[in-house]
Amino acid sequence: MKKNFQNVIVVLMLIALIGCFGQIASLKREMQNLRNNLNNNISNIERNLMNNISYIEELLEKEASILAKAEWSYGALNAQDHTVEIICHVTPKEYHPENTTASIMIGNQEIAMELLNGEFVGKGEVSLFGEMLVSKVMFYEGDTIQAEALNWTVMPLYEYIPSVNAYLNGNGTSGKENGKYIWKRAGTLEVFVDQKGETVSSESALLIRCIDGKEVERTKISLDGNPQNGEAYYYDVNLEYEIPYGSNQELYVEIEDGNGLRYRTLFDYMEIDESGTYVDHGSPHDIGETIIYGKNGEELYRGFW
């Protein structure tokens, strides 16, 4: 009887202990939830504080500024000179129409502004393939000069020039055959064009092959589909080329836009050493690079965008 009583006590103690463990676990969860809520509240306070600081700084900058309004936009594209017009609109908080004149710095050139409908307007030209800084605006009234920094970075390339990329999907082999290095591919060539306002003609698409940087072959290709921006043209390929020992092969797609500019983008590169062995460069850094040529074949730009 005594032994049974002891067993009951042990069981009750175990049940109580399990209950305590459960309460402890529950308390730990509550503490973790409280800690998480506290951290979230602190993060929200910090974020709101930073937003308020930024807002106050913006208000202070506006208050200290001599300008009521300042903005710029692109104008007309000159496809012959490869330049783009930039139009700057600036309105000072205080000025006297009969006495105040203004000019703006576009690159290293100070350009006089004209007062039109209550705002000063200045126009300049920037290279289609370059980058230009509109640094500041100046107001003149008698012997008094006031200036304010603008620091507008102008890069027309990203607004006006289509971006072109090509990818070759499929299967193929490459290796020595009868003392020659033979490269074979069968699949689909995907050509992506982001128009950006320019019309790219699929009818002028070319597949261009170069050996050691010199063009050795070009083939007119018909691209299927009428894609929207971000979608692809498609061209089925079944290619076989001999690559001389000690040389490299580059394959490009070239298309032409409505202004006669040609876009040549690299989609495959293969280098073979003097012994006829493939040289593995991993993913060559210039895959995806686009070269832009003018109507007369002059190189205007090369890069990634």
Side-chain angles (χ1 to χ4, degrees), residues 26-36:
S26 177
L27 288 172
K28 285 183 176 180
R29 286 193 297 270
E30 290 181 10
M31 290 180 63
Q32 185 61 46
N33 290 335
L34 289 173
R35 187 179 292 111
N36 291 339

Side-chain angles (χ1 to χ4, degrees), residues 187-202:
T188 302
L189 181 62
E190 299 181 7
V191 182
F192 293 84
V193 180
D194 185 354
Q195 302 280 11
K196 296 183 181 176
E198 295 301 320
T199 301
V200 173
S201 172
S202 62

Side-chain angles (χ1 to χ4, degrees), residues 4 53 79 88 101 138 175 202 220 273 294:
N4 291 337
I53 291 174
C88 304
T101 59
M138 292 82 69
S202 62
K220 188 172 182 179
D273 67 16

Side-chain angles (χ1 to χ4, degrees), residues 63-189:
E63 183 66 25
S65 174
I66 63 174
L67 302 177
K69 176 184 175 183
E71 61 186 18
W72 66 274
S73 61
Y74 289 115
L77 167 67
N78 187 327
Q80 298 298 321
D81 296 336
H82 308 127
T83 59
V84 177
E85 183 182 49
I86 177 175
I87 307 172
C88 304
H89 299 260
V90 177
T91 305
K93 291 178 179 177
E94 297 181 5
Y95 69 100
H96 301 93
E98 65 280 5
N99 297 322
T100 304
T101 59
S103 63
I104 195 165
M105 291 296 299
I106 300 180
N108 296 321
Q109 186 177 9
E110 183 175 354
I111 296 176
M113 306 186 78
E114 183 180 3
L115 183 60
L116 296 172
N117 300 321
E119 63 180 7
F120 288 94
V121 180
K123 299 179 181 181
E125 289 186 340
V126 298
S127 170
L128 181 59
F129 304 102
E131 179 178 328
M132 189 72 73
L133 178 68
V134 181
S135 57
K136 61 181 178 179
V137 62
M138 292 82 69
F139 299 99
Y140 303 89
E141 188 167 336
D143 295 331
T144 302
I145 302 176
Q146 288 183 299
E148 181 155 325
L150 298 172
N151 294 325
W152 295 334
T153 300
V154 181
M155 302 176 68
L157 175 72
Y158 297 97
E159 297 292 332
Y160 283 86
I161 297 299
S163 60
V164 180
N165 291 283
Y167 304 93
L168 180 56
N169 296 315
N171 300 312
T173 61
S174 57
K176 296 179 183 179
E177 296 183 14
N178 301 320
K180 300 178 181 179
Y181 195 94
I182 304 299
W183 179 93
K184 299 177 182 178
R185 290 292 184 277
T188 302
L189 181 62

Side-chain angles (χ1 to χ4, degrees), residues 1-15:
M1 183 70 179
K2 182 177 181 180
K3 185 176 179 180
N4 291 337
F5 180 75
Q6 290 177 342
N7 290 338
V8 171
I9 294 298
V10 170
V11 170
L12 292 175
M13 292 178 65
L14 288 174
I15 293 174

Side-chain angles (χ1 to χ4, degrees), residues 247-248 269-273 278-286:
S247 63
N248 63 71
Y269 177 89
M270 176 77 71
E271 182 177 344
I272 308 302
D273 67 16
Y278 167 62
V279 180
D280 188 359
H281 290 284
S283 180
H285 71 280
D286 47 1

